[in-house]
């Protein structure tokens, strides 16, 4: 990046007022003056990844967590009720409605998993689009521009596209964890302790907590990309 300080001119004759000096301007990358198609397409891709990550969190922490908690609570209520009943008393009237609720919650969790898988596929498609953008820029502007030219502040196109895909295995691990938790909770015989741990495991998302979009990439994009916030 290159830049220069604003010029300074003092008064031609002495005055009683102190000389005011202009504040130096922030150095800017030459690329920031006029954005190319590559700038705009990369920003769009990264904002789409941000949107996918936000949708993911909503699915897990709102829709999914609500269904998991309701499933476990219903199952616990049924177990407690049955424990208080005399052995000879008919149980179908009590068990039937609870089973309907539990099966409905499992269907809701299956729907959440399906939507998470869709978001994961979209995330991969965005990464593919970014890699295609690098190939196109290489053909039209040369490898030196792709690898060394700062797009806005310091990061080049090649650096963005090399590091951003690190997000893919993070979300894949979390998706795999959620699939296993739903498979575990399908069993109506699962213990209360196991169910309680499943609820905690569902909301923790340790991989995303440490290396997901908000933890790692949002601040980088905010610092490195002009007009990051729409």
């Amino acid at each position: 990046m290159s830049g220069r300080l604003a010029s300074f001119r003092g008064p031609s004759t002495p005055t009683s007022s102190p000389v005011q000096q202009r504040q130096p301007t922030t150095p800017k990358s030459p690329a920031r003056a006029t954005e190319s198609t590559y700038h705009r397409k990369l920003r769009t891709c990264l904002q789409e990844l941000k949107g996918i990550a936000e949708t993911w969190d909503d699915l897990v922490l709102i829709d999914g967590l609500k269904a998991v908690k309701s499933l476990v609570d219903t199952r616990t209520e049924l177990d407690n009720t049955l424990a208080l009943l005399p052995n000879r008393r008919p149980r179908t009237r009590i068990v039937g409605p609870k089973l309907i609720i539990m099966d409905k919650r499992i269907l809701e969790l299956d729907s959440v998993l399906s939507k998470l898988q869709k978001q994961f596929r979209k995330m991969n498609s965005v990464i593919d689009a970014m890699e295609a953008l690098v190939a196109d820029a290489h053909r039209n502007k040369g490898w030196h521009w792709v690898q060394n030219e700062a797009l806005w502040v310091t990061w080049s196109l090649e650096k963005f596209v090399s590091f951003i895909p690190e997000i893919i295995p993070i979300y894949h691990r979390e998706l795999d964890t959620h699939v296993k938790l739903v498979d575990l909770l399908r069993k109506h015989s699962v213990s209360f302790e196991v169910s309680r741990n499943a609820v905690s495991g569902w909301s923790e998302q340790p991989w995303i907590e440490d290396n997901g979009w908000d933890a790692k990439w949002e601040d980088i994009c905010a610092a490195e990309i002009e007009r990051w916030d729409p």
Side-chain angles (χ1 to χ4, degrees), residues 54-73:
E54 290 173 346
T55 299
W56 181 288
D57 284 343
D58 287 344
L59 287 169
V60 172
L61 301 177
I62 298 176
D63 300 348
L65 187 58
K66 180 181 178 181
V68 167
K69 284 183 174 180
S70 178
L71 173 60
V72 173
D73 288 347

Side-chain angles (χ1 to χ4, degrees), residues 3 23 40 74 97 105 152 170 172 199 201 205-206 230:
Q23 295 297 319
R40 293 190 292 272
T74 302
R105 297 297 173 260
W152 291 279
I170 300 300
H172 184 265
V199 173
Q205 298 198 105

Side-chain angles (χ1 to χ4, degrees), residues 11-212:
S12 57
T13 58
T15 67
S16 60
S17 300
V19 175
Q20 299 294 322
Q21 183 174 349
R22 296 181 184 178
Q23 295 297 319
T25 58
T26 302
K28 294 184 177 181
S29 165
R32 292 167 68 179
T34 303
E35 289 191 349
S36 68
T37 299
Y38 301 106
H39 291 76
R40 293 190 292 272
K41 285 185 176 181
L42 178 65
R43 184 197 290 116
T44 297
C45 285
L46 293 173
Q47 288 175 339
E48 187 172 354
L49 283 177
K50 176 182 179 178
I52 291 169
E54 290 173 346
T55 299
W56 181 288
D57 284 343
D58 287 344
L59 287 169
V60 172
L61 301 177
I62 298 176
D63 300 348
L65 187 58
K66 180 181 178 181
V68 167
K69 284 183 174 180
S70 178
L71 173 60
V72 173
D73 288 347
T74 302
R75 191 171 284 155
T76 302
E77 290 171 4
L78 177 59
D79 289 343
N80 291 339
T81 300
L82 293 178
L84 297 175
L85 288 178
N87 291 333
R88 295 182 179 180
R89 184 169 178 177
R91 302 185 176 197
T92 304
R93 179 177 56 84
I94 298 173
V95 173
K98 295 294 185 182
L99 285 176
I100 291 173
I101 294 173
M102 288 187 285
D103 288 341
K104 183 178 180 181
R105 297 297 173 260
I106 291 172
L107 288 175
E108 290 171 354
L109 287 172
D110 284 335
S111 176
V112 168
L113 289 180
S114 178
K115 292 174 182 177
L116 288 176
Q117 290 164 347
K118 180 180 179 181
Q119 295 304 310
F120 185 69
R121 289 193 297 270
K122 288 175 65 176
M123 191 174 285
N124 278 275
S125 295
V126 173
I127 297 298
D128 288 344
M130 290 172 60
E131 292 174 349
L133 189 65
V134 167
D136 185 70
H138 184 201
R139 286 192 299 270
N140 291 291
K141 300 183 78 68
W143 183 244
H144 183 272
W145 185 90
V146 171
Q147 190 172 28
N148 299 307
E149 182 69 32
L151 291 180
W152 291 279
V153 184
T154 63
W155 279 41
S156 66
L157 177 59
E158 188 269 343
K159 187 171 183 178
F160 275 110
V161 179
S162 293
F163 283 96
I164 292 292
E166 292 176 0
I167 203 170
I168 294 296
I170 300 300
Y171 283 83
H172 184 265
R173 292 185 186 111
E174 293 294 357
L175 177 59
D176 185 60
T177 297
H178 293 311
V179 169
K180 290 178 179 177
L181 287 173
V182 172
D183 286 342
L184 178 66
L185 291 171
R186 289 182 197 281
K187 306 169 186 176
H188 291 312
S189 60
V190 66
S191 70
F192 171 75
E193 189 68 25
V194 171
S195 298
R196 185 176 62 178
N197 291 337
V199 173
S200 299
W202 181 274
S203 59
E204 283 174 357
Q205 298 198 105
W207 295 102
I208 291 177
E209 181 70 22
D210 293 336
N211 293 291

